[in-house]
Amino acid sequence: MQTRKRNPIRTSITLVAVLAGLLAVPQAHALPIVHERASTVWGHTYAGPATTNVQSTNNSGAHLQQQSTFVVTYNNFPTWAKNDVQAAIDVWSENFASTVPINVEATWGRSSTSGILGSARPGNYFSGFSGAPDSTLWYPSALANALAGNDLDKNSPEIVIQANSNANWDQRNDGKPTTSEYDLESVFIHELGHGLGFLSTDAYDTYFKYGILDEPTPFDAYAQTGDGRRLSDLPSPSLELGVALTSTLVWSGPLGIAANDGVKPLLFTPSHYEVGSSVSHLDEATFSASGQNSIMTPNMDAGEVFHAPGPLLLAILQDMRNKPPAGIASTMPLPPRNAQALVGDRSAVITFDLPANSRTAQITDYDIKNNRTGKEISTTSSPVLIPGLQNGLSYSFSIFSRNQLGQSEVVQTNSMTPQSAWKVTPLDSLADGEHIATTIFDTQPAIIYTDSARGWVKLAMWNGKGWRKLTVDGRGGSAGRTLHNVAGPVSVCASGSGTNQTLHIFYADLVEKNLHHATFDGDNFKYEIVDGNGPIVQPYQQSARVRTASDVSVSNACASTAAGIQVFYRDETQGILLGAVKGPSGKWTYEIVDGDSKINGRTTGDVGTHLRAVAVGSKVTIMYDSVLVVNQQRQATAGEVRAATRIGISPVWSYRTLDTSGGGVAVAGYDLSLNKTVDGVIATWLTASGVSLPKPTQIRWANLTTRTTPVTITSDGYGLPTAPLSIDNRTIAFGCQKRICTTDLKSAPTKATIGLVSNYQSPSAIDSDWVIVNKVRYVVASVAGKLSLLKP
């Protein structure tokens, strides 16, 4: 079976964390923004020759009671292999402390590289979260969750592991492999060590000899060159870093040194860089005969057995829970770059990029001076909230960097004038509304939204006087409800007319990765699964569609016409856009909408990560993004926004590219919105230039009914535009520096009127939509973790 694995562009575009250090003067209000990026670097275990050393199988150094809970999802594992994996899991649950469950996705299959026994990586990396010992570093999922005390990404596993099914494994579960067999439990103890953080995120260009380390981890901060420089502080990309990756590196953490008899442990750095082995292991020659401490050497010999992590590995992982000491400042700091003062409500948000020499200069802090009042504050990161300002007055700020050797030149921000944000009225104080969709049901507004903490989908309906709030699903029980977390993407449509309508709610099961459908007639709910619960992943080449086993939990959008209810959704497993229609027969029929070919206006791009749909009479319009090219960091470098239309449930689609890479646009997408208005179907999306990648810098919108040329709007003075996007016939609401702003559609692009809606800096992704209540327009969005209505 042939399937395509895709790397979609997501709203959580990788942002660069700024350097942290010692505070010399009172601290500013650094905004708690958590950054997340995907993990792409693997640590491998290679098959070695027959062992000449007898390894201890006791649990020396292990704790006597469970310190954490690991939950394993097995893909294709035979029963005997599951037993060995569970034994390794039990060992680590006694040796790695975390109050947050650690989800492991384990796959059994043939390795594409000869000699690999197993490979592992963290699910994601996080920086800037509460509890991070060093806000400048990127912590792997399991370690980040343990430090934060909560799950920073409930939708992704903390560790991903692959085992080579073709290796000559000891299948007896006796822990006594022969000198021609390999012990799976030992390999999994090693690989789980990688997944928990014993892993560098460096890369090496074998042609140009450059080293690359753009977003260092605590492992990289404790890895040290022979002259005492931290690996995380070396310029990237650079020849200097390339030399370091292929020269002597040691572990500098005090606990690791103590566990190695007071000697800095030597890392594995052969002169010829080895992908998946170099830096991310202990030195083979030094530690191969060191008993349990040889568990993290790059090669696992046949007959070799490890049934405990060993004291050195445990000490190194414990080092990473502490803040690494500052590196060596080798030069005076340069000033911060791109310093800006953004409009706030009785406040300003100061943003800046790292100085060009931030790694070598070892910045300790940044000084920000209010030029109007003379007040100075210090921070170690950007962005920074400056409170206590007066709306209507103009302010500017000066900033310089500081390290142990001195301070940089001073740079000036733009002038900004604080303004009042919109009035906020909580609608549901118990739900965060991370995902939101609205419609009209029985002539009144209805809002579908999620409660992330409880994993619920909820419904709020206006009755003319107040809001009636119901839990749709996630609470478990009978009649098709589930106990699973269903707080993922949602969409909603209403069929029928007037006060005789049926509400159709579509939502994602984040555990089974299925697409669910609930109907509501005003009194009762009915439930079913639309797709994702098929027996196998149906290859995209098959045009006759049935239910699939693909992950269909990433995005969905519905439309209702007289011909039936329709829902469209992304097949995450293959990167295609699927559709399902329920007509008069009452049964779902399935189709591929796009992403499978270049015939008849279709594309082979990675489609539908962001998705919207509307119906005007019998005409259905879908709007979606298409990623065309990604780089090694899984960031989109070329992408477009597309629309597809059809009449009723006709299988014939008409395709149109609304915006694509070319000219000043490198990527179109990031987020999008579509709405049916009295003026026509209006669409909006974000674009990035080649200079701004991976960050979008522009908002674009077009009336798809009148086919007008896209209008381009920038949000200067308010922060780069981001998700969430929502549009009606008058206004676009958009994200602006983790807040919400608006822009008027009727104003000319060069004079676009930007306004501040919410001054609250959301620490996570949020959604928004427009709703009219008693003839008053509101933005519905999450504010301070509460579903809220906002109006001027």
Side-chain angles (χ1 to χ4, degrees):
M1 179 173 61
Q2 183 180 1
T3 59
R4 296 188 297 177
K5 295 290 186 181
R6 301 298 189 86
N7 295 321
I9 182 173
R10 301 190 181 279
T11 55
S12 57
I13 300 299
T14 302
L15 303 178
V16 179
V18 295
L19 224 59
L22 303 174
L23 298 182
V25 292
Q27 187 179 7
H29 297 268
L31 300 173
I33 297 179
V34 179
H35 301 303
E36 176 182 0
R37 67 170 174 82
S39 174
T40 60
V41 176
W42 296 79
H44 302 315
T45 304
Y46 280 91
T51 184
T52 58
N53 299 300
V54 177
Q55 300 296 341
S56 171
T57 60
N58 64 38
N59 287 330
S60 175
H63 296 271
L64 298 179
Q65 57 183 320
Q66 182 174 321
Q67 295 197 91
S68 57
T69 299
F70 285 73
V71 181
V72 185
T73 300
Y74 293 100
N75 298 321
N76 304 321
F77 266 74
T79 300
W80 74 264
K82 290 182 181 179
N83 293 335
D84 271 9
V85 172
Q86 189 58 53
I89 291 293
D90 292 343
V91 168
W92 272 113
S93 69
E94 296 175 349
N95 285 277
F96 186 84
S98 178
T99 59
V100 182
I102 301 166
N103 295 284
V104 180
E105 182 180 289
T107 300
W108 180 262
R110 298 170 58 184
S111 174
S112 59
T113 303
S114 175
I116 288 182
L117 296 174
S119 303
R121 64 170 174 81
N124 293 293
Y125 284 92
F126 298 89
S127 71
F129 56 89
S130 177
D134 190 325
S135 63
T136 73
L137 300 175
W138 293 81
Y139 289 78
S141 296
L143 179 57
N145 290 348
L147 293 166
N150 63 84
D151 194 336
L152 298 174
D153 182 358
K154 298 180 177 64
N155 301 331
S156 301
E158 279 68 57
I159 300 175
V160 179
I161 298 183
Q162 298 175 352
N164 185 1
S165 59
N166 281 354
N168 188 30
W169 300 108
D170 170 14
Q171 301 183 21
R172 299 179 298 278
N173 300 125
D174 59 2
K176 298 178 180 179
T178 69
T179 54
S180 64
E181 295 175 327
Y182 297 93
D183 184 61
L184 183 62
E185 179 183 344
S186 300
V187 170
F188 258 76
I189 290 176
H190 175 112
E191 294 304 331
L192 286 166
H194 284 313
L196 293 169
F198 195 104
L199 188 69
S200 173
T201 56
D202 65 80
Y204 183 78
D205 188 313
T206 56
Y207 182 80
F208 292 105
K209 311 298 182 185
Y210 274 82
I212 303 166
L213 185 59
D214 291 335
E215 293 162 338
T217 68
F219 185 93
D220 301 314
Y222 279 113
Q224 200 174 76
T225 63
D227 58 3
R229 292 172 298 157
R230 306 191 312 178
L231 191 64
S232 59
D233 297 338
L234 301 181
S236 174
S238 70
L239 289 172
E240 181 182 3
L241 181 56
V243 170
L245 296 177
T246 53
S247 304
T248 299
L249 289 175
V250 295
W251 184 260
S252 65
L255 300 178
I257 295 172
N260 196 43
D261 298 326
V263 179
K264 292 182 178 180
L266 188 65
L267 300 178
F268 181 64
T269 53
S271 57
H272 296 285
Y273 185 88
E274 297 181 13
V275 175
S277 289
S278 286
V279 186
S280 297
H281 291 88
L282 294 173
D283 184 61
E284 180 75 27
T286 304
F287 290 97
S288 61
S290 60
Q292 287 295 322
N293 282 342
S294 63
I295 179 67
M296 290 312 292
T297 57
N299 300 325
M300 183 78 66
D301 292 345
E304 198 168 22
V305 176
F306 300 95
H307 287 175
L312 180 54
L313 172 55
L314 293 178
I316 287 174
L317 292 179
Q318 191 64 34
D319 271 329
M320 288 191 286
R321 292 176 181 256
N322 302 317
K323 182 180 176 66
I328 301 171
S330 59
T331 183
M332 291 285 288
L334 293 174
R337 296 173 295 168
N338 303 318
Q340 294 188 69
L342 307 180
V343 172
D345 185 350
R346 291 169 294 178
S347 63
V349 176
I350 307 300
T351 67
F352 53 85
D353 293 333
L354 295 174
N357 67 341
S358 60
R359 289 193 174 187
T360 56
Q362 284 294 288
I363 310 295
T364 56
D365 65 316
Y366 302 90
D367 186 274
I368 302 175
K369 178 182 178 180
N370 184 328
N371 292 332
R372 185 180 188 93
T373 65
K375 183 178 180 179
E376 295 187 35
I377 56 177
S378 177
T379 183
T380 60
S381 61
S382 165
V384 179
L385 178 67
I386 309 295
L389 307 184
Q390 184 175 337
N391 289 346
L393 294 182
S394 177
Y395 296 85
S396 67
F397 301 85
S398 56
I399 309 175
F400 63 81
S401 312
R402 180 163 37 214
N403 72 0
Q404 296 171 350
L405 302 178
Q407 67 182 52
S408 71
E409 296 180 359
V410 175
V411 294
Q412 302 293 329
T413 71
N414 56 290
S415 296
M416 56 76 63
T417 302
Q419 63 180 237
S420 298
W422 290 13
K423 180 182 178 181
V424 179
T425 302
L427 192 157
D428 190 336
S429 297
L430 300 178
D432 58 355
E434 182 177 336
H435 299 281
I436 297 170
T438 67
T439 192
I440 300 298
F441 176 59
D442 288 347
T443 73
Q444 296 289 357
I447 304 171
I448 298 298
Y449 58 100
T450 56
D451 181 334
S452 298
R454 297 171 181 82
W456 293 352
V457 171
K458 302 186 75 174
L459 166 64
M461 298 175 293
W462 180 254
N463 61 15
K465 296 182 180 179
W467 291 97
R468 178 189 179 193
K469 287 170 279 189
L470 302 171
T471 299
V472 177
D473 203 355
R475 64 183 181 182
S478 60
R481 294 187 178 95
T482 178
L483 285 168
H484 292 166
N485 181 354
V486 292
V490 296
S491 59
V492 62
C493 302
S495 62
S497 60
T499 57
N500 186 25
Q501 288 188 307
T502 299
L503 200 62
H504 298 269
I505 305 164
F506 296 90
Y507 53 98
D509 182 326
L510 299 181
V511 177
E512 299 290 346
K513 308 299 183 182
N514 298 332
L515 178 63
H516 286 237
H517 173 221
T519 59
F520 182 66
D521 61 7
D523 297 309
N524 300 299
F525 289 101
K526 293 182 179 180
Y527 301 90
E528 64 178 332
I529 297 176
V530 178
D531 207 352
N533 61 338
I536 61 171
V537 173
Q538 186 181 14
Y540 69 90
Q541 298 94 334
Q542 296 181 3
S543 58
R545 304 302 297 177
V546 295
R547 288 178 185 254
T548 182
S550 292
D551 177 354
V552 292
S553 64
V554 170
S555 64
N556 63 80
C558 65
S560 176
T561 70
I565 188 74
Q566 309 177 45
V567 63
F568 309 97
Y569 46 98
R570 172 179 167 81
D571 179 330
E572 172 76 354
T573 306
Q574 301 185 88
I576 56 178
L577 180 58
L578 302 178
V581 176
K582 179 180 278 192
S585 69
K587 296 182 179 180
W588 290 104
T589 60
Y590 300 91
E591 63 182 320
I592 292 182
V593 179
D594 206 355
D596 60 326
S597 73
K598 292 187 177 181
I599 300 174
N600 299 324
R602 294 155 91 106
T603 181
T604 54
D606 188 354
V607 295
T609 301
H610 304 94
L611 174 64
R612 297 290 187 273
V614 298
V616 180
S618 62
K619 184 176 182 180
V620 175
T621 300
I622 315 171
M623 181 185 180
Y624 50 96
D625 55 357
S626 174
V627 175
L628 303 177
V629 180
V630 295
N631 61 17
Q632 291 183 340
Q633 286 74 43
R634 298 174 63 184
Q635 298 164 342
T637 56
E640 59 190 15
V641 172
R642 294 173 57 81
T645 58
R646 73 172 172 194
I647 302 300
I649 58 175
S650 166
V652 180
W653 287 94
S654 175
Y655 298 93
R656 174 183 172 193
T657 298
L658 304 179
D659 205 359
T660 190
S661 300
V665 174
V667 177
Y670 297 98
D671 195 20
L672 49 84
S673 183
L674 187 70
N675 205 343
K676 175 179 65 177
T677 75
V678 293
D679 297 326
V681 174
I682 303 180
T684 185
W685 60 94
L686 301 174
T687 66
S689 67
V691 175
S692 71
L693 282 175
K695 301 176 183 178
T697 55
Q698 296 178 335
I699 307 165
R700 305 190 86 180
W701 70 272
N703 189 320
L704 304 189
T705 304
T706 59
R707 293 181 175 269
T708 56
T709 301
V711 177
T712 301
I713 299 171
T714 60
S715 53
D716 297 342
Y718 290 80
L720 294 177
T722 62
L725 281 179
S726 55
I727 191 169
D728 66 1
N729 66 318
R730 294 165 50 187
T731 311
I732 300 172
F734 62 95
C736 53
Q737 192 56 52
K738 298 290 185 177
R739 306 169 300 172
I740 300 176
C741 295
T742 60
T743 182
D744 183 2
L745 296 183
K746 305 303 180 182
S747 60
T750 55
K751 297 181 180 180
T753 302
I754 308 293
L756 183 66
V757 174
S758 171
N759 200 47
Y760 174 75
Q761 292 262 326
S762 174
S764 59
I766 58 175
D767 205 352
S768 71
D769 209 342
W770 291 92
V771 64
I772 298 177
V773 182
N774 290 348
K775 299 182 180 181
V776 178
R777 294 168 69 243
Y778 293 87
V779 168
V780 56
S782 177
V783 177
K786 302 174 182 179
L787 183 75
S788 303
L789 296 174
L790 301 98
K791 70 174 184 178

